[in-house]
Amino acid sequence: MPPQFNRFDGASIFDDKGEVKRLVESLIQGKDPDVNIERMRKMDFSYIFTLSKKGRVKEVELVRTEIEASWEWRKGNIDETLQKKIEDTISEL
C-alpha cells in the first residue's frame, strides 16, 4: 500500500514534478519510444501532458489520486487507470 499524503509531513509524489515526469516517461518508453513529452503543466488536482509523435499531438490528464496511487512506480506499482490513460493516448497518436 503506498503511503498516503500527509499534509503535516508534506511528502507527496504529486508535488514533485520531476518524479511525475519520470513516471510518465517510463510508461512512454515501455510502450513506444518514439513518443515525446512536449509539455507538462500542473493544475490544481491534475497534470496535463502533451504527447507527440511524428507531428501528431495529443493531451492526457492524470489526476492526483492516480498519481498518488503510483507512489511506488519504481517497484512496478502503477495505478491501472493512469497506465491505461497513457497507453490509450499513445495508441491514438
Side-chain angles (χ1 to χ4, degrees), residues 13-76:
I13 185 176
F14 183 81
D15 295 321
D16 186 345
K17 285 185 179 182
E19 190 69 4
V20 174
K21 185 175 181 182
R22 284 188 289 278
L23 162 62
V24 173
E25 285 173 336
S26 73
L27 290 170
I28 290 170
Q29 293 305 311
K31 184 73 173 171
D32 187 346
D34 293 333
V35 175
N36 295 311
I37 296 174
E38 293 297 321
R39 185 170 180 222
M40 165 185 168
R41 62 188 191 274
K42 183 178 178 183
M43 304 295 277
D44 290 336
F45 300 103
S46 65
Y47 278 92
I48 298 176
F49 286 86
T50 304
L51 307 180
S52 70
K53 179 180 177 181
K54 298 181 182 177
R56 294 184 49 111
V57 178
K58 200 81 174 150
E59 285 190 343
V60 61
E61 181 176 4
L62 306 176
V63 296
R64 182 181 197 114
T65 55
E66 297 163 351
I67 294 168
E68 289 292 342
S70 302
W71 180 273
E72 296 183 304
W73 69 272
R74 292 179 190 269
K75 295 179 182 178

